[in-house]
Amino acid sequence: MFLNSALLLLAGSAMADPREFSTIIPTGTFNPAAATAVQTEYPKDHHIAKGRLVDQIWHIVLDNADYDDAVNNPDLQYLASKGILLDNYYAVESNSQANYLAMIGGDTFGLTEERFVSIPSNVSTLVESLETNRVLWAQYTEDQPFTAFTGWEYPTSGNASYSRAKNPFVAFDSVMEKPSRYNNLRALASFEHDIEKHRFPQWKFIRPNLDHDGTNTNLETAASWVRNFIDPYIADRKHYHRKLFIITFARASSNTGPNKVWTCILGDMHEWERNTRDSNYYDHYSIPASTIANYDLPSLGRYDCSANVFHIINVKCHQKNLMNPEITDNYNQGPFAGYLSDDSLSLPVPNLNCEGRGHSGLLRRVKKIWKKASLSYADWQVGY
Ligand SMILES: *[C@@H]1O[C@H](CO)[C@@H](O)[C@H](O)[C@H]1NC(C)=O
Ligand SMILES: *[C@@H]1O[C@H](CO)[C@@H](O)[C@H](O)[C@H]1NC(C)=O
């Protein structure tokens, strides 16, 4: 997050009340089998959108590790030797949940601690951008009790292996109000099946459970899980042709130093690009920015507008990356207060003048909803 985060920091010191949301955990009757059941229903659309660099992008998100530890882990070193290590990549807040919101919403919306929150339906996400160009998408989550479960965590006794804090899609009402969207929140158990049936969405957000992502365990467990998961797909061209796999961590584990996280890109790349580093500045806003750039999607008008596009994608679309963006003094640790942490602040208004990263301007729905609000000067406090 660059630009005006300092302003938000100031707003946060004003002793504001956090916005309140329901904390009801739907009880229902859980069927443990449903958590691991393979879903066999697919969207009717069979369209394949052409990407500028690749047609498929897989984002695999682990959690809670410092860059300096991760870069010395043998399993992650193995993966870095097969791809491009992004060695100047940062999370954008010190709590995990805010980082997940950032990846698909283009903002943390001022979430300064993990809580049950929901974002009103007039806020658009990357999902709507993808749908504009008919890029089929899905999230694959390990151990979610069932599709579109809205509870806080599961199981509710002992250590949870699923947490709403790490599922950004359920936090956005614009996703949860439409069955065609929330039905894409699939179980990781469906993953292999979807590959075999060739009913495979082009853009995938992959979330292991809280044991496998490192939250309840440690970096070693997360690193070994992700190596085993991705290894079959990076072995030969048949599997990685026109695919990019992006592995990242939601946040660093210590919240004093820079919020720097280990991130690596693998997949369809030249032989000479493997085992190299890309030291441009990136952060989690580079996820929507790079997705938008690859598929020429309309932008959200939030931090996706100014975030750097991954170099490997940018050589195909020539967006103006900022080489030395001004990052905040505490290296993206926050707390960056805003709408969710201060009930006196309104939702940040998107920048309707942003050109976006996909040569397609701004999402039409964003323009329509926010045009009037953008005329009020007070709401321009964010400055995307
Ligand atoms: C929960 O996880 C912690 C580590 O985060 C571990 O020490 C503890 O034994 C676990 N408890 C259960 C009931 O699994
Ligand atoms: C967006 O929705 C919220 C919650 O319903 C509302 O308070 C706000 O005024 C809306 N903003 C715009 C621009 O529609």
Side-chain angles (χ1 to χ4, degrees), residues 307-353:
N308 280 350
V309 173
F310 298 139
H311 179 73
I312 187 171
I313 291 175
N314 205 29
V315 292
K316 303 282 183 187
C317 54
H318 313 293
Q319 290 293 335
K320 217 181 274 161
N321 277 351
L322 293 167
M323 293 333 256
N324 290 304
E326 183 190 322
I327 60 172
T328 52
D329 291 347
N330 65 349
Y331 296 92
N332 296 354
Q333 290 283 7
F336 302 111
Y339 174 78
L340 293 173
S341 52
D342 181 341
D343 64 5
S344 70
L345 293 179
S346 44
L347 279 163
V349 177
N351 174 3
L352 303 189
N353 297 320

Side-chain angles (χ1 to χ4, degrees), residues 276-330:
T276 62
R277 290 176 176 226
D278 172 355
S279 301
N280 289 307
Y281 175 92
Y282 300 112
D283 58 30
H284 286 324
Y285 297 123
S286 297
I287 289 184
S290 301
T291 302
I292 283 167
N294 181 64
Y295 297 111
D296 271 321
L297 306 177
S299 294
L300 304 174
R302 302 193 183 275
Y303 288 113
D304 59 304
C305 281
S306 51
N308 280 350
V309 173
F310 298 139
H311 179 73
I312 187 171
I313 291 175
N314 205 29
V315 292
K316 303 282 183 187
C317 54
H318 313 293
Q319 290 293 335
K320 217 181 274 161
N321 277 351
L322 293 167
M323 293 333 256
N324 290 304
E326 183 190 322
I327 60 172
T328 52
D329 291 347
N330 65 349

Side-chain angles (χ1 to χ4, degrees), residues 47-170:
H47 179 74
I48 305 280
K50 257 298 181 242
R52 279 182 182 256
L53 175 69
V54 286
D55 300 333
Q56 285 199 20
I57 300 182
W58 306 14
H59 289 289
I60 305 171
V61 188
L62 308 170
D63 217 311
N64 202 23
D66 286 345
Y67 176 85
D68 289 343
D69 296 330
V71 80
N72 288 312
N73 175 280
D75 288 320
L76 297 184
Q77 283 174 342
Y78 164 85
L79 293 177
S81 76
K82 310 268 178 200
I84 303 171
L85 176 65
L86 309 184
D87 64 4
N88 194 22
Y89 185 116
Y90 296 83
V92 297
E93 237 306 348
S94 54
N95 71 81
S96 293
Q97 189 178 1
N99 288 291
Y100 290 98
L101 298 180
M103 291 175 206
I104 69 159
D107 201 326
T108 62
F109 302 95
L111 187 71
T112 52
E113 56 179 354
E114 298 199 354
R115 286 193 305 126
F116 193 112
V117 297
S118 52
I119 318 240
S121 60
N122 55 17
V123 174
S124 295
T125 67
L126 186 57
V127 158
E128 286 168 50
S129 300
L130 289 163
E131 288 170 357
T132 307
N133 271 14
R134 290 171 68 199
V135 180
L136 296 186
W137 65 275
Q139 173 176 242
Y140 290 89
T141 310
E142 192 173 23
D143 287 357
Q144 69 177 12
F146 46 77
T147 290
F149 171 66
T150 57
W152 178 242
E153 50 186 31
Y154 182 79
T156 49
S157 61
N159 285 335
S161 63
Y162 166 90
S163 166
R164 178 181 169 109
K166 302 180 188 228
N167 180 345
F169 298 90
V170 291

Side-chain angles (χ1 to χ4, degrees), residues 242-287:
R242 291 195 65 80
K243 293 190 184 82
L244 219 52
F245 315 115
I246 299 160
I247 304 171
T248 189
F249 287 78
R251 66 171 171 101
S253 66
S254 48
N255 54 15
T256 47
N259 203 349
K260 185 172 175 178
V261 290
W262 186 94
T263 303
C264 182
I265 297 181
L266 300 113
D268 202 354
M269 58 183 65
H270 300 292
E271 208 55 52
W272 51 263
E273 285 172 313
R274 291 166 202 266
N275 200 14
T276 62
R277 290 176 176 226
D278 172 355
S279 301
N280 289 307
Y281 175 92
Y282 300 112
D283 58 30
H284 286 324
Y285 297 123
S286 297
I287 289 184

